Amino acid sequence: MNPFQYDRASDVSAALMARTRAGAQYLGGGTNLIDLMRETIEHPDVLVDVTGLSRDIEETNGGGLKIGAGVKNTAVAADRRVRERFPLLAQAILAGASAQIRNMATVGGNLMQRTRCIYFYDDAASCNKRNPGDGCDARDGFNRNHAVLGASESCAATHPSDMCVALAALDAVVTVRGKNGSRDIPLPAFHRLPGDTPHIDTVLESGELITAVTLPPNGIAARSCYRKVRDRASYAFALVSVAAGLEMEGGMIRDVRIALGGVAHKPWRAERAEAALRGGPATEAAFRQAAEAELAAAQPLRDNAFKIELAKRVIADTFAKLAQAQGAAQ
Amino acid sequence: MRWIVNRREVEREVDVRTSLLDLLREHLHLFGAKKGCNQGACGACTVLVDGERINSCLALAVQYQGREITTIEGLGAPGALHPLQQAFVEHDGFQCGYCTPGQICSAVGMAAELRNGVPSYVTTDLEAEMIALSHDELRERMSGNLCRCGAYKGIVDAIHETFSDLAAPIPKREAA
């Protein structure tokens, strides 16, 4: 690990100021950044500790919630309002990492975590994300965990977060502060597809600090769930995950939300599948067709073609269960 | 820099790169918490900070100044074992013992989470006030602690015996 200076920010303005120093980076819970520094993938000259900032969960008009970027992952999942109004988000957070890591990790840090692609982590391998223009050893390497949607010749890495997949389905908004004030970014637009610049993970501009994530009031959120498929029952990254919300009227679908994890460089809001379902019948055939529509553009690499069929089945099965639960409730 | 470690205030000047785990082991000579993977995957370094379990290998010591850190040495001692330590002995909750301090600190933190109503991924009713420590809940909640000997059966039995009655307070040794 390279030497660095440590600076604990007392407020957002102080953090923004400290971040203007050469080689400065923000530090949250450190569960990803400290590891990357130890692996010499990240080498900041200054760490600006922002864990003391933005630590509240506040009510917004109409039953939404504004979650401070410094709130720990466990605290979000345990918050009674989150569990009642946005169960999808609590489930997604609890599906990620281990209890120890969730106790350390912040909401802002979860948004900013980097891919766990083994070639990104291996500084003897070629990686365009770590070293732009270097090439990508994943494309012809072991790519079972890699992206099937939205990947490029430059990069097939996946975004590792579970929480962000739920946030994408919930129309969450990320509030950031920079030298020119605050701005709001819809979660699905916060992370980027790799294109030919995979070293840039998000649309954040230099020095901008995440201060909050806002969940708009949303009736569909109460009828939602998060389903994660992985190589072992707990403490593993997703092969495929689905954040799903369904609102029915009679046998018809009034509203629907779908986001996918483990399949792309960013949390993947499945707009094609949503459009295929909205206003139509809530049948297993319709769910399967919608999944087919979303995955039609999928492009497998050598080892990850299984994810395409897996994603279709997990989407169809998750919605069948949501529809069944609402059918039973009606 | 100052911390409160096992109820005693300690002061050391360390390089800011020093992890909390290295502070405990290399500077304070508390060798209970172990360096297994040093990347947050195994849980052998688990300690309690203000009563919450964390991976001390992923924590910078500088970031935890002023906090109350409890290691296995602060939970029990020869002749005055923590009830969970005693239960690990009785249920053969270890073979080589390397993961044990992390397992025990983690389980004590887990019990506190349960008492505070923190749900897990296998909690079916997210709105429940109380969550019982079922077999599935215990295994899910302890998934951040690996045991390469595979002593899981004894580990699960020991934790279950000690913490299954959540109405009982989490046993704590009196302050020294």
Side-chain angles (χ1 to χ4, degrees):
Chain A
M1 194 183 291
N2 62 291
F4 58 87
Q5 291 188 321
Y6 172 84
D7 187 350
R8 187 168 177 83
S10 54
D11 57 38
V12 172
S13 301
L16 292 174
M17 183 62 74
R19 178 68 174 70
T20 60
R21 294 158 72 184
Q25 278 194 41
Y26 295 122
L27 173 67
T31 57
N32 188 209
L33 182 53
I34 300 302
D35 190 33
L36 288 169
M37 288 166 64
R38 203 171 269 149
E39 299 288 337
T40 72
I41 309 303
E42 299 272 10
H43 21 76
D45 296 311
V46 181
L47 282 183
V48 182
D49 184 348
V50 293
T51 53
L53 314 179
S54 313
R55 301 193 61 164
D56 298 320
I57 302 179
E58 300 165 29
E59 294 276 346
T60 64
N61 287 339
L65 291 173
K66 183 178 181 184
I67 301 170
V71 180
K72 303 289 180 173
N73 283 202
T74 300
V76 178
D79 187 278
R80 189 145 285 285
R81 297 163 294 182
V82 172
R83 286 152 68 181
E84 288 171 5
R85 296 179 216 165
F86 304 98
L88 164 66
L89 177 59
Q91 286 172 348
I93 289 172
L94 295 168
S98 66
Q100 288 97 316
I101 287 175
R102 294 191 295 269
N103 284 342
M104 304 172 78
T106 62
V107 168
N110 192 316
L111 265 75
M112 294 303 292
Q113 65 178 308
R114 309 210 65 190
T115 186
R116 297 319 196 277
C117 172
I118 53 174
Y119 301 101
F120 174 69
Y121 259 80
D122 177 3
D123 65 6
S126 293
C127 173
N128 289 317
K129 184 180 281 296
R130 177 163 35 75
N131 188 12
D134 197 27
C136 170
D137 277 351
R139 284 210 78 83
D140 298 312
F142 294 98
N143 45 37
R144 182 171 176 272
N145 294 318
H146 287 69
V148 292
L149 289 167
S152 68
E153 281 298 313
S154 297
C155 183
T158 54
H159 194 261
S161 171
D162 292 293
M163 183 188 84
C164 291
V165 181
L167 293 178
L170 291 168
D171 301 308
V173 174
V174 184
T175 302
V176 304
R177 271 272 294 277
K179 59 181 189 293
N180 299 320
S182 284
R183 65 182 179 123
D184 289 337
I185 306 165
L187 192 285
F190 182 82
H191 299 96
R192 297 175 71 254
L193 288 178
D196 54 10
T197 53
H199 58 292
I200 307 171
D201 289 346
T202 73
V203 298
L204 280 182
E205 286 167 14
S206 178
E208 281 186 320
L209 174 67
I210 302 167
T211 55
V213 174
T214 301
L215 304 169
N218 191 337
I220 201 170
R223 288 175 288 275
S224 65
C225 70
Y226 187 74
R227 183 98 170 267
K228 180 174 181 178
V229 179
R230 44 189 157 173
D231 279 328
R232 59 185 185 194
S234 184
Y235 201 14
F237 291 98
L239 294 168
V240 168
S241 68
V242 177
L246 180 70
E247 196 172 340
M248 287 168 53
E249 193 164 29
M252 305 298 279
I253 296 168
R254 190 154 74 180
D255 203 3
V256 61
R257 294 285 186 285
I258 313 174
L260 304 175
V263 295
H265 194 259
K266 57 185 282 187
W268 188 268
R269 179 74 179 256
E271 288 171 349
R272 282 183 198 179
E274 289 181 4
L277 288 172
R278 202 168 278 127
T283 62
E284 287 189 28
F287 296 139
R288 175 74 197 192
Q289 279 168 18
E292 300 270 3
E294 190 64 46
L295 275 301
Q299 298 215 324
L301 298 167
R302 188 189 69 191
D303 302 330
N304 66 358
F306 76 98
K307 282 191 177 186
I308 298 172
E309 177 60 22
L310 182 61
K312 292 176 187 174
R313 292 188 191 188
V314 177
I315 291 170
D317 190 65
T318 302
F319 275 94
K321 287 192 167 69
L322 279 175
Q324 197 176 24
Q326 285 178 52
Q330 276 169 358
Chain B
M1 300 183 204
R2 288 180 190 195
W3 306 264
I4 300 157
V5 179
N6 297 332
R7 298 177 294 278
R8 289 210 178 85
E9 190 165 309
V10 297
E11 191 173 340
R12 293 285 188 285
E13 288 313 312
V14 298
D15 189 298
V16 291
R17 289 173 289 183
T18 309
S19 69
L20 182 57
L21 177 61
D22 283 343
L23 172 76
L24 295 169
R25 291 180 57 85
E26 308 299 328
H27 296 269
L28 303 180
H29 303 128
L30 294 167
F31 298 117
K34 299 293 188 288
K35 188 179 282 189
C37 67
N38 210 29
Q39 57 178 12
C42 77
C45 67
T46 302
V47 300
L48 301 165
V49 175
D50 299 331
E52 291 185 354
R53 52 180 166 164
I54 68 161
N55 294 129
S56 63
C57 74
L58 291 179
L60 292 176
V62 65
Q63 222 184 348
Y64 286 82
Q65 292 174 83
R67 309 284 292 277
E68 274 196 47
I69 295 141
T70 304
T71 70
I72 191 70
E73 291 91 342
L75 284 178
L81 294 182
H82 184 285
L84 184 56
Q85 289 177 310
Q86 186 63 43
F88 263 66
V89 173
E90 287 165 9
H91 289 280
D92 285 336
F94 49 84
Q95 288 181 35
C96 81
Y98 195 82
C99 71
T100 313
Q103 297 277 4
I104 290 176
C105 285
S106 183
V108 170
M110 177 201 72
E113 289 161 14
L114 267 173
R115 277 198 305 170
N116 292 332
V118 177
S120 85
Y121 186 61
V122 300
T123 304
T124 43
D125 181 7
L126 278 179
E127 298 184 24
E129 290 287 341
M130 282 292 292
I131 302 159
L133 185 57
S134 67
H135 186 78
D136 286 350
E137 283 281 0
L138 194 160
R139 291 178 70 88
E140 164 62 26
R141 288 168 186 269
M142 290 297 295
S143 71
N145 291 83
L146 305 184
C147 170
R148 296 305 297 269
C149 300
Y152 291 111
K153 187 182 180 304
I155 293 169
V156 168
D157 288 348
I159 296 170
H160 203 263
E161 179 187 273
T162 308
F163 293 129
S164 59
D165 180 8
L166 284 173
I170 308 302
K172 254 192 180 168
R173 206 159 72 99
E174 289 301 307

